[in-house]
Amino acid sequence: MRGWPLIKLLPQKTNFRFVRYAKIAGVLSVILCVASIVGCFYPGLNMGIDFRGGASLEVAKPAGQVIELDAVRGAVNQLGLGDVQVQGIARRDNNIDDGSTAIVRFQVPEGQDQTQVVQQVEGAISKAAGDVTYSGVSVVGSKVSGELFTSGLLALGAAIVLMFAYIWFRFEPQFGFGAVAGLLHDVILVFGLIVVMKLEFSLNMVAAILTVIGYSMNDTVVVFDRLRENLRKYKTMPLREVIDLSINETLSRTIITGLTAVMVLAALAFYGGEALFGFSIALMFGIVIGTYSSIYVGAPIILLWGVKRGEITEEAKPIKLGMASRP
């Protein structure tokens, strides 16, 4: 079977000296992380409905008539109410999603009467969707939103702790600290992107950050696996050279995997509409930063910590299963 011809554009073997630029990259990472943390407090995150609170109402047309979700979303967005979410749901009478029913969530600006805002939203939807009926108007209070925000942060913290525990048992402590430093670096910079681009921070964005954590950890494990193998193989080679060798050996795999994911997410950002734009952009940025952190955050920490070649444990040999031969 012939291989993909464009794969030949990637060199089979590279010899980049990544460690040489580790100090410069480290200073840059620290500056960006500090700026991102400051930005989360000033000017702060642009909270979505999930974390700020707002109102929701159910919109329905007669059975068989489809509601144009993009038209409804655009009409409500023109009112300047901040984060607007429009999602199709199943009809209550037959529990079938035929496109005739949707739920609209929007923010109620501070100081404005909720009833008047709801009436404005209903008027905009009627102009965009035609003859519709409204029901199920409800309000998400600030207390519930605060609980959701706390739960989202706890989910991110729990993911990082579990990843650290996995790397600790999978490798050695210095590998674990390098991996966790890379994860924190990626999460903080994604928050910085959200602030700079003024993306809505909602539960979708929390899901994007959790996905970035998983991708970053996967890429880090690949590099660390090769590094551990080379540390056992080249016992007298300087540590910085072993790190460079390990990163170069996994570089083509990293580039191919990253480009494939970025191309899919770019299509999702372009065709997925406003509802998925922020989610896709955060994931694309997280994939790029995750690759960068595996090279210039996780690995340099191992170099600073140092590794005794005798501390690198041998992996358990696989058990061969089969039928025992009869005498």
Side-chain angles (χ1 to χ4, degrees):
M1 180 177 178
R2 299 182 60 184
W4 184 40
L6 295 181
I7 202 71
K8 297 178 181 179
L9 297 177
L10 294 175
Q12 295 182 356
K13 185 177 181 181
T14 57
N15 191 28
F16 298 115
R17 301 180 65 180
F18 294 102
V19 176
R20 174 188 292 182
Y21 306 102
K23 292 183 179 179
I24 299 176
V27 172
L28 178 62
S29 294
V30 170
I31 293 174
L32 292 177
C33 286
V34 172
S36 298
I37 293 174
V38 173
C40 289
F41 295 96
Y42 182 81
L45 294 169
N46 184 19
M47 297 292 186
I49 296 175
D50 299 323
F51 300 139
R52 181 180 291 178
S56 65
L57 57 88
E58 186 175 315
V59 183
K61 273 192 167 187
Q65 299 184 19
V66 179
I67 296 177
E68 296 294 336
L69 301 182
D70 290 337
V72 172
R73 186 181 296 108
V76 181
N77 274 328
Q78 291 180 358
L79 299 177
L81 300 178
D83 184 22
V84 176
Q85 299 177 5
V86 182
Q87 181 180 2
I89 59 175
R91 295 183 62 89
R92 292 188 178 184
D93 51 4
N94 55 16
N95 200 28
I96 297 177
D97 185 4
D98 58 357
S100 62
T101 309
I103 186 168
V104 181
R105 298 184 180 91
F106 53 92
Q107 296 178 4
V108 178
E110 296 182 4
Q112 295 190 20
D113 182 68
Q114 175 189 335
T115 303
Q116 293 181 356
V117 173
V118 171
Q119 290 176 353
Q120 293 176 2
V121 171
E122 290 179 350
I125 295 175
S126 297
K127 291 181 180 180
D131 185 18
V132 295
T133 58
Y134 303 97
S135 62
V137 179
S138 61
V139 179
V140 179
S142 59
K143 181 179 180 180
V144 176
S145 301
E147 293 175 353
L148 287 175
F149 181 71
T150 303
S151 299
L153 294 182
L154 289 176
L156 294 177
I160 293 177
V161 171
L162 291 175
M163 293 297 182
F164 172 74
Y166 168 74
I167 292 294
W168 184 290
F169 289 104
R170 181 74 169 81
F171 299 99
E172 284 72 35
Q174 58 268 43
F175 288 85
F177 282 113
V180 170
L183 290 180
L184 290 174
H185 170 273
D186 298 343
V187 170
I188 291 172
L189 290 190
V190 171
F191 272 103
L193 176 75
I194 295 172
V195 173
V196 171
M197 295 191 64
K198 298 181 180 179
L199 300 175
E200 296 284 350
F201 185 69
S202 60
L203 289 177
N204 284 342
M205 201 61 71
V206 173
I209 297 175
L210 289 173
T211 307
V212 169
I213 291 176
Y215 181 89
S216 177
M217 178 56 64
N218 177 70
D219 194 57
T220 301
V221 166
V222 171
V223 175
F224 283 2
D225 260 330
R226 184 58 58 89
L227 176 58
R228 185 171 61 175
E229 293 175 3
N230 288 335
L231 285 172
R232 291 197 297 263
K233 184 177 180 180
Y234 305 101
K235 298 183 181 298
T236 60
M237 181 183 292
L239 181 57
R240 62 175 52 245
E241 295 182 12
V242 179
I243 292 175
D244 279 339
L245 176 64
S246 303
I247 296 175
N248 278 286
E249 289 179 346
T250 58
L251 187 61
S252 60
R253 176 262 177 203
T254 299
I255 293 175
I256 294 173
T257 305
L259 282 178
T260 303
V262 167
M263 287 189 294
V264 173
L265 291 170
L268 184 64
F270 186 78
Y271 294 105
E274 185 178 353
L276 296 176
F277 179 78
F279 176 84
S280 305
I281 293 297
L283 273 181
M284 283 192 288
F285 180 77
I287 288 174
V288 175
I289 291 299
T291 302
Y292 165 86
S293 66
S294 299
I295 298 174
Y296 282 116
V297 178
I301 286 180
I302 297 176
L303 180 63
L304 293 175
W305 187 306
V307 176
K308 294 181 181 180
R309 304 304 168 92
E311 294 179 355
I312 305 301
T313 58
E314 295 287 344
E315 293 183 349
K317 296 182 178 180
I319 300 175
K320 296 183 179 180
L321 301 178
M323 297 295 294
S325 59
R326 295 184 179 180

